[in-house]
Amino acid sequence: MSADVRWDVVTGDLTRCATDAIVNAANSSLLGGGGVDGAIHRAAGPRLLAECRTLGGCPTGEARITAGYQLAARHVIHTVGPVWQGGGNGEARLLASCYTASLTLALDHGLRTIAFPAISTGIYGYPKQAAAAVAADAVNQLLLEEPGGFDDIFFVCFDEASAAIYADAVQAVRSS
Ligand code: AR6
């Protein structure tokens, strides 16, 4: 991993992160939903939905960018995680792609501080330990390819138990 980037796992509310971008665990309509998606739309205000309507949706594993409107974050990167179906339907590849596509979009826009939620681990049912391992590996790979591309990357978990799982996964790739 590049020594230049700070990569931390924190417990808290993603909608309060004052980063260049927060990543939304959206659905393929990009028109809002429950979980962190609903919280982001509530905090950003109705102009976020208006911009999302112009995007025409987003396939699973890809990412799209909007402004952050009333959020502390300047931008929202919307990505669509896979629904957990037991692991045999390309879930890991698609989840890794969410992280890679989000960071690539951030790089394209010169965004250097990015906060991620635990994509797919809520309503979409992805087991947290498996999701954390995929997330950490995908971010680590991208950081190896783009050293110096970012200042801060945060994994923001809603509860301490999830944060411990993501922290273990980050530690595992850091020490590998
Ligand atoms: N800050 C940080 N993490 C949060 C927050 C928050 N404010 N709120 C929830 N989480 P989910 P998914 C955590 O369900 O599984 C929506 O309806 C939560 O504890 O938000 O990718 C979309 O429109 C969990 O660990 O996203 C899609 O239809 C993690 O965020 C669907 O849900 C992700 O949970 C996407 O499901």
Side-chain angles (χ1 to χ4, degrees):
M1 197 191 92
S2 161
D4 301 325
V5 66
R6 191 160 67 108
W7 183 12
D8 279 335
V9 179
V10 296
T11 306
D13 182 349
L14 186 71
T15 67
R16 301 177 74 89
C17 291
T19 43
D20 291 340
I22 59 171
V23 176
N24 183 13
N27 60 66
S28 57
S29 77
L30 298 185
L31 299 180
V36 74
D37 190 8
I40 287 171
H41 276 273
R42 278 192 299 280
R47 286 180 298 159
L48 178 60
L49 181 57
E51 184 175 356
C52 284
R53 283 192 199 287
T54 70
L55 298 177
C58 178
T60 303
E62 295 189 16
R64 301 288 185 269
I65 190 167
T66 65
Y69 299 100
Q70 294 167 36
L71 290 163
R74 285 166 46 215
H75 295 274
V76 181
I77 293 173
H78 307 261
T79 190
V80 183
V83 177
W84 179 255
Q85 295 175 299
N89 275 302
E91 290 96 326
R93 177 181 54 79
L94 289 164
L95 185 60
S97 175
C98 288
Y99 287 87
T100 306
S102 296
L103 290 174
T104 302
L105 203 48
L107 280 172
D108 290 346
H109 288 77
L111 308 179
R112 299 187 59 84
T113 62
I114 317 295
F116 285 94
I119 299 167
S120 283
T121 66
I123 291 163
Y124 281 179
Y126 207 119
K128 281 194 176 139
Q129 260 165 348
V134 168
D137 189 53
V139 169
N140 191 51
Q141 287 295 328
L142 202 286
L143 293 179
L144 289 171
E145 288 164 23
E146 297 286 348
F150 298 96
D151 293 329
D152 293 297
I153 294 178
F154 298 104
F155 284 170
V156 181
C157 295
F158 222 18
D159 57 86
E160 298 281 356
S162 300
I165 291 169
Y166 277 75
D168 282 350
V170 170
Q171 188 56 42
V173 297
R174 272 178 169 157
S175 53
S176 65

